[in-house]
Amino acid sequence: MNQSIAEHSKTAAASRPSKRKVDTFKRKRLLIAGSVLIWVGLCYGGFQLAQTYITNSQNYIDQRITAVESQNTELLTKVTTIENEMTSIKEELALTGETITGTDKTKQALSERITALDKQLVQLKASLKKLEDAARAF
């Protein structure tokens, strides 16, 4: 019977892992679980960091876009004002050009009239001289 108990103890011991094997198995499991937790933590931290960076970048870009749109609006207002002033100046120049052209035409017409009157004056002087000569002759 002692033999059977000894044999039974050997077979039970063989089927049951030793305490040392259990400890190494638990250590491996803890090491794997710890590694997985560390990787999950790193991934989550990286995701949060990236999310924060993206949010901050988006806010900065939105602010810059708003500033640029504001500057564009100001520039468009200035350009519109300048275009209106240019149109006004062009109209004034056109009117001035017509006045200058009209003045040139008027000057030319007056010059022709003066020339014609000068010719008439010369003719009248010649006629007056003839009349004076005729009156002296009588």
Side-chain angles (χ1 to χ4, degrees):
M1 191 146 174
N2 276 344
Q3 266 186 345
S4 83
I5 292 175
E7 286 178 16
H8 183 58
S9 296
K10 285 183 182 179
T11 54
S15 67
R16 191 172 41 163
S18 69
K19 188 165 185 139
R20 192 176 236 190
K21 286 184 180 181
V22 170
D23 286 343
T24 56
F25 181 71
K26 283 183 180 179
R27 282 185 188 168
K28 284 183 182 180
R29 286 179 65 192
L30 284 173
L31 187 62
I32 290 172
S35 297
V36 168
L37 285 175
I38 289 173
W39 277 107
V40 167
L42 286 173
C43 289
Y44 180 75
F47 174 77
Q48 288 299 320
L49 182 66
Q51 187 70 24
T52 303
Y53 178 77
I54 289 169
T55 303
N56 291 342
S57 297
Q58 187 66 38
N59 289 337
Y60 175 76
I61 290 169
D62 289 343
Q63 289 173 353
R64 293 298 299 156
I65 287 172
T66 303
V68 168
E69 286 175 347
S70 173
Q71 289 175 350
N72 283 346
T73 304
E74 290 175 13
L75 289 175
L76 285 174
T77 304
K78 288 179 182 179
V79 166
T80 303
T81 303
I82 291 171
E83 285 178 345
N84 291 338
E85 290 176 5
M86 290 294 290
T87 303
S88 174
I89 290 170
K90 284 179 182 178
E91 289 173 358
E92 290 177 13
L93 283 175
L95 291 173
T96 304
E98 288 177 10
T99 305
I100 291 172
T101 304
T103 304
D104 287 345
K105 289 179 182 177
T106 304
K107 284 181 182 178
Q108 188 178 10
L110 286 173
S111 179
E112 288 174 3
R113 182 74 176 140
I114 289 172
T115 304
L117 288 174
D118 281 343
K119 286 180 184 177
Q120 281 182 347
L121 182 62
V122 170
Q123 288 174 352
L124 286 173
K125 283 183 180 179
S127 297
L128 184 61
K129 194 172 187 177
K130 285 181 185 178
L131 285 174
E132 285 177 354
D133 287 341
R136 280 190 207 150
F138 289 121

